[in-house]
Amino acid sequence: MTNFTATKSMFHIPEGMIYLDGNSLGPLPKTAAARVAETVTQQWGEMLITGWNKAGWMAQPTLVGDRIAKLIGAEAGHVMVGDTLSIKVYQALASALEMRPDRKIILSDSGNFPSDLYIAEGLIASLDRGHELRVVAPEEIEAHITEDVAVTLITEVDYRSGRLHDMAKLTAKAHAMGAVTVWDLAHSAGAIDVNLAAAAADFAVGCSYKYLNGGPGAPGFIYVAPRHAETARPALSGWLGHDAPFAFEQSYRAGGGIERMRVGTPPVLALAALEAALDVWDMTTMAEIRARSVALTSQFIDAVEARCPMLTLASPRNPNLRGSQVSFRFAHGYAAMQALIDRGVVGDFRAPDIMRFGFTPLYIDAADVDAAVNIIADVMTHDLWDKDIYKIRARVT
Amino acid sequence: MTNFTATKSMFHIPEGMIYLDGNSLGPLPKTAAARVAETVTQQWGEMLITGWNKAGWMAQPTLVGDRIAKLIGAEAGHVMVGDTLSIKVYQALASALEMRPDRKIILSDSGNFPSDLYIAEGLIASLDRGHELRVVAPEEIEAHITEDVAVTLITEVDYRSGRLHDMAKLTAKAHAMGAVTVWDLAHSAGAIDVNLAAAAADFAVGCSYKYLNGGPGAPGFIYVAPRHAETARPALSGWLGHDAPFAFEQSYRAGGGIERMRVGTPPVLALAALEAALDVWDMTTMAEIRARSVALTSQFIDAVEARCPMLTLASPRNPNLRGSQVSFRFAHGYAAMQALIDRGVVGDFRAPDIMRFGFTPLYIDAADVDAAVNIIADVMTHDLWDKDIYKIRARVT
């Protein structure tokens, strides 16, 4: 049994804040500050260039990848950390497309995060071989997995609504139709009990600054199924993905397995923070996290609906169809969210009208949910959001 | 006049070390540790998600880009920081190639850093439209800039020999032949007096962990000439390069100018270190840095040649043809370099036989050069490198 009081004590949450935005940026794990400081002063400062060997910087992306692998049901040695999620989408999609040279359709849905769609558009324009990005409604995607689909590019948990796709079922359908799957786990890793190996997923990508609490700008990751690991061609063929980077050969030879998905120099400082952030996962299991997350999101939905009739649930009511976040629609959602943040309840807003609240049992408990709902009810019932100051849009929402 | 004693005092150099590897990884600027710690504890820890606005994280890549722009003669507002150098090479090359759709040759030279060549190979394979990577000897590159060349992909300063290309001359030739130029400034930015605008360069890319001292895994940067800024198509079309990222539109619309060269989430911790590292440049000018660098490298060459006849100069003797590093060939170069590192003279080794020493006036002075040469002469004259322990190759050389 996980001691959730103990996991909560691992994080720094500012006094008076109920942080329901870990689905956007996880809070600071208390050990991360010291780990980063040590990397800066003891490693960079004292070891300088020798840190690549002595401090093991070069091995970090694989070691951290293996720790993430455990949380997403991936085989050890098949997850590489680095770059950003968007870059990892590009890598996965480019490799996957080449595995189906006779097909031209990339299938995605309108609930996918826009960057995935943008990256696909950009790749299609570069390839200039008549590929088509077919974007359908999320509930129709299964029906659209047909024999002309080259690659399915699907985000498992919808960033706006929290709607959860059935990865195993859609992957099976894709394989039955001869398509290759790319799964985006941005809102899954650390949030729900993903099992890439059991689902027989082909490629998966994700980020580490949300439920994995790696910090602002923490790196992305990519998974390549073992059966593709030695054949997938890396489109972004940088030197550290070479089989022998320090031989400085004139021509590229892909490194073994997941090593080829490295591109350039690893982000050492960010990896130090992420490494520290991953320690908390040794104290729990994804199954326990998921069970408690379902309890928290259900509690939140019930209480908000009981007290705030002006908010319309935008997330699935059935917890089996929902990730670890709850969204409500409200016409003045942006202003309402600013009013909440002003009162210590931190969620975020996604255009056009989504108020988004993330729940992670690592540091959110039932008492936090109660306290948050009290503040939300107060703000909504008394229109406390209706002030000019709450209506000024910031650069980042 | 620059006070080089003052600039030297800005860096932490371990006691007893003469650090001649700033061309690979710059040393720790003393203010960087505090800046990173503040970013972790005060910004990430206290502001959490609101740091994107309150701490200005989202603006960092442009602001830091402008500071780098001053060091490379780029127009303000035309340098974007992010990702890694290899990714930036991909971006620049992909955009540049599209500007010459009727041409198929990417011209580079054998002195280019392998990652640039690998990235070009990978892009060519993805495009699959018959492009050719033509790699010639560095001294022959000018003659090979002909009317069939689409893009020249050239690293200004050779990573092995320090040989310096004439950017203005080669760019003029490229333009006369109708080719687009991509310049890699990995060993130029902060090392020599680059003037991209004066040379009329089209694209340039670089990294910030060498002479800019941004730390291990510090981000890359990309420059797009103002005349191309609104037309270059970003191949890696991630959401933060969108014209309105937080509108979450379904289709990509490139952001204005250099903004489109953003891809994913900025590396906030790395940018904090880099920002601190750039402060030292307010104390000097690139012209003064260059003059003193020439003096230091010339002093080093003269002294080593006088005392170590077994070492063969691999760098140009004429300082006008040389960057800010000096390389010597030696059959047992790897072992010799380990013996030097063991005695506090830190350079590095590049296969097959190059011993590489970087000089930056920011923290290296004439007395350091004398002291280093004494140790080198001792190691070489008495074959102190000839021990088994110095011959074991580490992962990173």
Side-chain angles (χ1 to χ4, degrees), chain A residues 40 96 104 115 123 159 162 167 176 186-187 200 202 211 261 267 284 287 300 317 323 330 358 365 370 387 396:
Chain A
V40 171
K104 299 296 182 195
S115 201
L123 178 59
Y159 76 107
M167 179 188 287
H187 293 266
D202 299 291
Y211 294 97
M261 292 300 169
T284 188
F300 183 74
R317 197 172 298 279
F330 180 59
D365 56 31
D370 279 342
K387 287 189 179 175
V396 177

Side-chain angles (χ1 to χ4, degrees), chain B residues 299-338:
Chain B
Q299 176 193 350
F300 183 73
I301 291 172
D302 292 347
V304 170
E305 289 196 317
R307 298 177 62 183
C308 305
M310 67 294 284
L311 296 182
T312 308
L313 184 65
S315 298
R317 197 171 298 279
N318 178 349
N320 297 326
L321 305 178
R322 191 170 71 217
S324 200
Q325 69 175 74
V326 174
S327 300
F328 285 96
R329 289 188 189 282
F330 180 58
H332 306 281
Y334 182 81
M337 186 52 77
Q338 305 322 304

Side-chain angles (χ1 to χ4, degrees), chain B residues 18 47 57-58 65 70 99 130 138 185-186 207 213 227 231 233 252 257 269 311 327 348 366 390:
Chain B
I18 302 170
M47 300 179 186
W57 294 339
M58 200 51 85
K70 289 184 195 166
M99 294 166 62
L185 306 179
C207 63
N213 311 301
R227 64 188 177 281
T231 50
R233 189 188 72 86
Y252 186 74
L269 304 189
L311 296 182
S327 300
D348 62 16
Y390 296 140

